[in-house]
Amino acid sequence: MTTSSKDLKKQLRKEALARRDALDEFWRVEIALEMAETAKDHIAIEPGQVVSGFWPMRSEVDVRPLMFALREKGARLCLPAILDKTTIVFRELVRGAQMVEMGFGTVGPHEEAEVLDPSLMLVPLAAFDARGHRIGYGAGYYDRAIGKLVDKGLTPRLIGIAFDCQEVQQVPNEDHDVVIAEILTESGLRRFAA
């Protein structure tokens, strides 16, 4: 019996997340700070450019230092806000703004925050391969959100955020998957051929 792409992705996700969960908590903090320094050196930002990040959940890379480093370079920040079981939008993150629970152990800006279209997206992921194919958490929020931006004629720069231990040999291809051109890990910013 052959394993379906969905089942294989589920297994790869489970294994990659177990490796990520096993990383030392204090080491993860140091790496988050190092990744912010890498971003300062290797991610060009235009003043006012809209950058989407994410509030970390569980053992994810804490991208807040990275987001704040990009804000220092002039970025306008936003975070995903879950509207329903299939949709996220990106709400502006400003100092002192009210944050609300978004589910999945994460928070985002209150519904009064302005909805923005990011031109650079820091994309969370569970696993990735050397081709830039990613495995998300299984709900498809980012694939659909990126698809909606593309439908508007926008082509956001996508940078996956992960630890090296989340790399797998090969992610099964599925038609709806969005390929990530760049991945930032503790080893640096890797670019993949399109």
Side-chain angles (χ1 to χ4, degrees):
M1 185 171 96
T2 60
T3 305
S4 73
S5 288
K6 187 175 183 175
D7 288 341
L8 183 53
K9 278 187 169 183
K10 188 176 181 180
Q11 183 62 32
L12 290 170
R13 178 186 302 116
K14 181 180 175 185
E15 292 169 0
L17 292 178
R19 290 190 301 273
R20 187 183 78 186
D21 289 345
L23 295 173
D24 179 76
E25 182 180 346
F26 299 107
W27 180 84
R28 290 197 312 255
V29 171
E30 288 299 317
I31 292 306
L33 297 173
E34 285 179 27
M35 289 169 95
E37 290 300 315
T38 299
K40 282 183 187 178
D41 296 339
H42 299 287
I43 301 176
I45 295 292
E46 297 293 322
Q49 182 176 357
V50 177
V51 175
S52 70
F54 53 92
W55 205 263
M57 57 186 195
R58 299 187 296 271
S59 60
E60 278 182 334
V61 173
D62 185 347
V63 295
R64 290 173 293 189
L66 192 159
M67 292 187 321
F68 300 143
L70 296 178
R71 179 165 53 198
E72 287 175 12
K73 292 177 75 167
R76 190 173 174 193
L77 300 177
C78 57
L79 293 174
I82 299 170
L83 300 184
D84 56 43
K85 291 183 187 244
T86 63
T87 310
I88 59 173
V89 295
F90 297 92
R91 293 183 183 154
E92 187 168 19
L93 174 64
V94 295
R95 291 182 195 273
Q98 181 180 355
M99 302 291 276
V100 294
E101 292 288 327
M102 287 291 154
F104 302 103
T106 189
V107 299
H110 190 269
E111 64 187 15
E112 294 169 3
E114 185 176 353
V115 173
L116 304 173
D117 289 332
S119 62
L120 187 151
M121 299 175 72
L122 305 176
V123 182
L125 53 88
F128 68 96
D129 67 19
R131 304 172 302 151
H133 290 247
R134 72 181 266 278
I135 297 174
Y137 294 107
Y141 284 113
Y142 271 84
D143 290 333
R144 285 188 298 277
I146 293 164
K148 285 181 181 179
L149 291 170
V150 170
D151 289 346
K152 288 182 176 183
L154 305 173
T155 52
R157 179 180 177 188
L158 308 175
I159 302 177
I161 306 295
F163 295 108
D164 287 333
C165 70
Q166 292 172 255
E167 185 170 359
V168 298
Q169 186 169 349
Q170 185 168 338
V171 171
N173 297 347
E174 291 189 277
D175 292 340
H176 65 272
D177 290 343
V178 174
V179 177
I180 305 291
E182 301 170 272
I183 302 279
L184 178 62
T185 71
E186 67 268 27
S187 295
L189 185 62
R190 294 169 57 185
R191 292 183 171 93
F192 304 104

